Structures are given as structure tokens and as C-alpha cells.
Amino acid sequence: MTISYEKFNLKEVINASGKMTILGVSKVSENVLAAQRFGGEHFFEMSELSIQTGAYLAKLLKVEDAQVVSSASAGIAQSVAALIGEGSVYHAYHPYTDKVTKREIILPKGHNVDYGTPVEVMVEQGGGHVVEAGYANMCTPEHIEMMITEQTAAILYIKSHHTVQKSMLSVKEAATVAQKHKLPLIVDAAAEEDLFKYIEAGADLVIYSGAKAIEGPSAGLVIGKKDYIDWLRLQGKGIGRAMKIGKDNILGFTQAVEDYVKNGSESGESMQARLTPFIEALNQIDHIKASIVQDGAGRDIYRASIKVTGAKSAKEVIQALKAESPAIYTREYQANNGIIEFDIRSVNETEMNKIVTRLTEIMN
């Protein structure tokens, strides 16, 4: 059976928006596909598969333990439930019971963002109650500390380009507050590229997306203290049952992490080299001024940024890029300012040429 866009009446997509869930996030390698195929063609004791792949990943990442979950969002919900339940089977069976009252999860106000769903939805799914600390434009260690009560179960820190970047405490500062008050710190680092720095900074649980920087299949990863990971695994008897991950993706993701640790991701220098001819071609188009910009959250990621002038607005150009096949998806966050960004991590030279051709047609 041949799989094609035409079979399902789908548009081809050029993903110049980055590692985005709405587009399927990433492409996977032949190595990962082979691991997924092995998983799909064999049976396993699933509890052992979970434990042993976790132990293998923990050794690779130099942490106490690890658990593969279905997504980074599932990682948030299950981490919250784990730290509220503290290993109680009764709680796993009754995650929203009134018998457990220690449910407050402290979150910097500027981190309570919508990344496709609001952070607080995942916290509430895990049975937690969000307590915002600080203000939209500032959160200090003191702001976190003043919100701690006897009902505080954990502190949650979101490391993401979606969050407020200025005047925010660091992960290390959040860890210092957590340690002072003997509270666990969860760091959601879904799209981050460094698999070591947040544990090293003092986080107790760190959550990554499987399909973003790591370029694995649909999955998530939670790493950290062994007791907390044990409590997280227990959620499979409760809310985690609705978030279970298949054997093929567990093995494919484990292979993706191994490859990622060994090979890393594309360097910023390489991105800038690939962007240079693309920028030159874009600057030949009427009513467009193009330049190379770095990721707003400071990651070693470089993108093409175009300023749209003339009769058409940036929003109109964005819609026109999506309208045909291939549908070209971009980063739209600054469209109100007339700016469109192109993330080329998943875009090859042929696709860049298609983008230039389409933009030329749209702007003329």
C-alpha cells in the first residue's frame, strides 16, 4: 500500500515555523524508524520496557531515573499528580480526592502561557491548583517565596520562548527557593536543546518533548530523582492510563535520545550559512526586507526575518503562503508588526527555493 498526500486528500506542507505540534513537529531518522519498526513487530512486558528504557536513558543523561511518556504535556500532568500523591496508590486511583489537600503549584505569572493549551490546564489535569507568583513583567525569588504555604506541593518553571523573558528569575534561583523550603521543582523544558543543564541547575524533575529538539516520534521525557519518577510511573494506574505511549514510540524515542546525545542538533553557525543565500534571494523581492535573527529565548537558533511593506499586510502574506500546496507555514508571532519569520531547521534548499518563488508571486 502506497502512502501519499493524495491518498488522504492532504496538502504537502513546508514547515518553516519550527518544531510545531500543529504540523507534526519533526522528521525522524532512519535509525529511529528502525527502532520503531522493531517495537511494532515484537511484544514486550510493558512495565519492564518502561523501567529498562528509563534506566538506559538515565545512564545516558546522568540522572537518577527517567520515564518516557506520551508527550511533554502528559509529563506536566503526571509530574504534578506524582508530587501531589507522593506514591499513594489510593491517590492514583482517586486523583482528585478531597482527602488530599496539598495541591498548590506555584508558577511565575509570566509562565502561565498558552502553548497550544494553557499551562494551568495541564496542572489542573494533574490535580493541582495554580498559584501565580509575581507579575506579568517580573518574577523574583522573593515573589515565589511569598506564595509558599502548607498546601504547596511543588514549584513549576516553564522554560520556553512563549513565556515572558525579561525580569524573570532563573531556574537556578527557583531551585534555591525550592531547596530552602524542601519543595520539588519541576522544569518544563519541552523545546529546549540541552538535556543536562536544568538538572545541573537544581531541578528535581525536567520535562522534554520527544519530537522537538530531539527529533524523535511523538513522545515526552521526564528525568530526575528516582523517588519522583517512581511516583510518576504509578500514575499509569490513574490519569496516566489515558496518556499511555506505545512500544514502538518508546523504542523509537529512546533511539532518538541516544542519537541526539551523540550527534547533537544543527549548530547556529550552520543555520546562518544556509540562511545567507536564502536571505539574499528574499531581498530581491519587492516590498520585502530580509535579515537573519536569533531566537528570542537566546537559543542557538537562527531564522530569516522579513519585514513586509506595500499593499499587502504580513497577515495577508501569511494566509497566502498557506493557501496552496505546498502550504508554507511560518512563525506568525510578530505579524502585527509586519514581520514574518522562517525557521529553516526542517527546511531544505529545494523548499527554500519554493518559498522564494511563492513569495515572489504573492508580492507582485
Side-chain angles (χ1 to χ4, degrees), residues 147-179:
M147 304 311 293
I148 295 172
T149 72
E150 291 183 356
Q151 304 309 315
T152 303
I155 298 168
L156 174 60
Y157 190 107
I158 310 296
K159 182 64 180 174
S160 167
H161 69 277
H162 290 292
T163 63
V164 174
Q165 301 296 315
K166 66 176 184 178
S167 303
M168 288 287 150
L169 79 168
S170 66
V171 171
K172 189 171 184 179
E173 288 173 325
T176 299
V177 174
Q179 290 159 8

Side-chain angles (χ1 to χ4, degrees), residues 54-291:
Y56 187 84
L57 289 168
K59 187 175 180 180
L60 278 176
L61 301 177
K62 301 176 183 176
V63 293
E64 291 182 20
D65 207 351
Q67 172 68 20
V68 182
V69 293
S70 61
S71 66
S73 291
I76 296 173
Q78 291 182 71
S79 293
V80 167
L83 296 177
I84 290 171
E86 297 183 329
S88 164
V89 177
Y90 178 85
H91 169 269
Y93 287 164
H94 305 89
Y96 309 116
T97 176
D98 291 338
K99 292 182 180 181
V100 178
T101 59
K102 190 176 177 180
R103 294 182 175 275
E104 293 179 358
I105 308 296
I106 298 175
L107 175 71
K109 187 179 186 73
H111 288 192
N112 193 7
V113 296
D114 186 328
Y115 61 90
T117 189
V119 169
E120 62 189 1
V121 169
M122 290 300 103
V123 172
E124 290 166 1
Q125 192 165 350
H129 304 314
V130 168
V131 174
E132 292 183 344
Y135 301 91
N137 66 332
M138 177 185 293
C139 185
T140 67
E142 291 74 23
H143 288 138
I144 297 285
E145 199 161 24
M146 70 176 64
M147 304 311 293
I148 295 172
T149 72
E150 291 183 356
Q151 304 309 315
T152 303
I155 298 168
L156 174 60
Y157 190 107
I158 310 296
K159 182 64 180 174
S160 167
H161 69 277
H162 290 292
T163 63
V164 174
Q165 301 296 315
K166 66 176 184 178
S167 303
M168 288 287 150
L169 79 168
S170 66
V171 171
K172 189 171 184 179
E173 288 173 325
T176 299
V177 174
Q179 290 159 8
K180 177 181 175 182
H181 293 272
K182 296 181 171 56
L183 290 169
L185 172 65
I186 307 167
V187 174
D188 171 36
E192 292 298 297
E193 300 195 332
D194 194 320
L195 303 184
F196 299 93
K197 69 186 290 184
Y198 301 111
I199 288 291
E200 291 170 354
D204 299 293
L205 290 175
V206 184
I207 302 160
Y208 294 95
S209 170
K212 289 190 168 71
I214 299 168
E215 296 190 334
S218 183
L221 175 66
V222 186
I223 62 175
K225 290 188 174 175
K226 180 167 178 49
D227 285 349
Y228 297 160
I229 296 294
D230 285 343
W231 297 351
L232 188 144
R233 286 199 182 103
L234 183 61
Q235 303 316 305
K237 297 180 179 295
I239 66 166
R241 181 69 178 183
M243 308 171 190
K244 62 185 178 180
I245 180 171
K247 53 194 169 74
D248 51 344
N249 278 15
I250 292 174
L251 287 168
F253 173 70
T254 301
Q255 183 63 53
V257 174
E258 183 173 357
D259 293 347
Y260 183 77
V261 170
K262 180 180 178 182
N263 302 321
S265 56
E266 183 180 8
S267 70
E269 185 179 358
S270 170
M271 287 179 222
Q272 291 180 76
R274 292 202 297 123
L275 279 165
T276 298
F278 182 48
I279 293 292
E280 290 173 356
L282 290 172
N283 275 323
Q284 300 305 309
I285 302 171
D286 291 341
H287 308 299
I288 282 178
K289 181 172 177 55
S291 60

Side-chain angles (χ1 to χ4, degrees), residues 308-314 316-317 361-364:
V308 177
T309 60
K312 290 187 175 71
S313 70
E316 289 172 326
V317 173
E361 293 167 354
I362 292 168
M363 300 307 294
N364 285 339

